[in-house]
Amino acid sequence: AMKGVILEKKLSERLNRVAKATANTKINRAPFRNVLLHGPPGTGKTMFAKGLARESGLHYAIMTGGDVAPLGKDAVTELHKIFEWANTTNKGVLLFVDESDAFLRKRSTDKISEDMRNALNAFLYRTGEASTKIMIVFASNQPEQFDWAINDRIDEMVEFRLPGHEERVKMIAQYM
């Protein structure tokens, strides 16, 4: 799952554990654990999610928080379609929700439209129970904006950081 991704050693080891656990979960047909990858842009979150799906033998589906708002009233229907498809596949699906804070933000704020509130409620409905068919990997630069119910659906949080200068030098030397 880490092929082509250069990360600090501790983060790499943690992500390898997540990848092994996900592969074992699929093999044993156990409920998947949902993961939040958080940190600044350009730190490898998307690359890891793609690799995780590939190495675990899951289909890979991606949506971004920004994809939901333009759908307006159709967002609820489209979300249900994603989950219906995921539940029909024998392979299982890793649904990567990039920029998830843009769509899964707190309902208590005035800055969320009725359509977005309905889409969030549909997402919460579809993710209320652990699943053996779908694993959700959230990515966010601002996870503190999540609705409290989204936090309840996250089983593991992994922070991606930009490495400092010394860490970058060590990482580059390690791969040469």
Side-chain angles (χ1 to χ4, degrees):
M2 302 304 301
K3 188 175 182 177
V5 181
I6 299 173
L7 300 167
E8 63 181 8
K9 187 176 179 180
K10 286 182 182 179
L11 178 57
S12 183
E13 290 170 353
R14 178 144 186 228
L15 293 175
N16 278 322
R17 285 193 304 271
V18 169
K20 286 177 186 174
T22 301
N24 288 334
T25 297
K26 183 177 187 282
I27 290 168
N28 294 312
R29 296 185 178 136
F32 287 106
R33 294 174 51 82
N34 298 323
V35 178
L36 166 62
L37 310 177
H38 65 98
T43 52
K45 297 181 294 289
T46 303
M47 288 179 69
F48 172 70
K50 286 180 185 177
L52 179 61
R54 182 181 57 252
E55 293 301 315
S56 302
L58 297 169
H59 289 295
Y60 179 74
I62 184 169
M63 64 179 278
T64 68
D67 291 338
V68 179
L71 294 172
K73 293 180 182 183
D74 294 331
V76 170
T77 302
E78 296 303 317
L79 282 169
H80 285 305
K81 285 180 185 177
I82 291 170
F83 284 93
E84 287 167 12
W85 165 69
N87 283 315
T88 63
T89 178
N90 291 331
K91 194 173 176 181
V93 174
L94 185 149
L95 175 60
F96 182 60
V97 186
D98 200 8
E99 301 173 11
S100 51
D101 49 274
F103 143 62
L104 302 172
R105 59 185 46 226
K106 295 174 184 160
R107 288 172 282 184
S108 60
T109 181
D110 293 335
K111 297 178 182 177
I112 186 170
S113 71
E114 192 62 31
D115 291 336
M116 287 294 278
R117 187 181 314 276
N118 291 338
L120 171 58
N121 287 334
F123 187 86
L124 292 172
Y125 170 75
R126 289 297 194 148
T127 59
E129 295 179 10
S131 173
T132 58
K133 294 282 191 172
I134 187 165
M135 174 183 188
I136 301 169
V137 177
F138 303 92
S140 175
N141 303 331
Q142 301 174 340
E144 67 279 358
Q145 293 186 5
F146 282 146
D147 187 88
W148 66 269
I150 293 299
N151 293 330
D152 190 44
R153 282 145 173 82
I154 296 170
D155 300 300
E156 187 162 358
M157 295 173 51
V158 180
E159 182 179 9
F160 282 66
R161 297 181 307 120
L162 289 172
H165 177 71
E166 289 182 27
E167 289 174 315
R168 284 194 304 267
V169 170
K170 286 179 188 177
M171 290 165 42
I172 291 168
Q174 172 183 333
Y175 287 95
M176 295 189 105

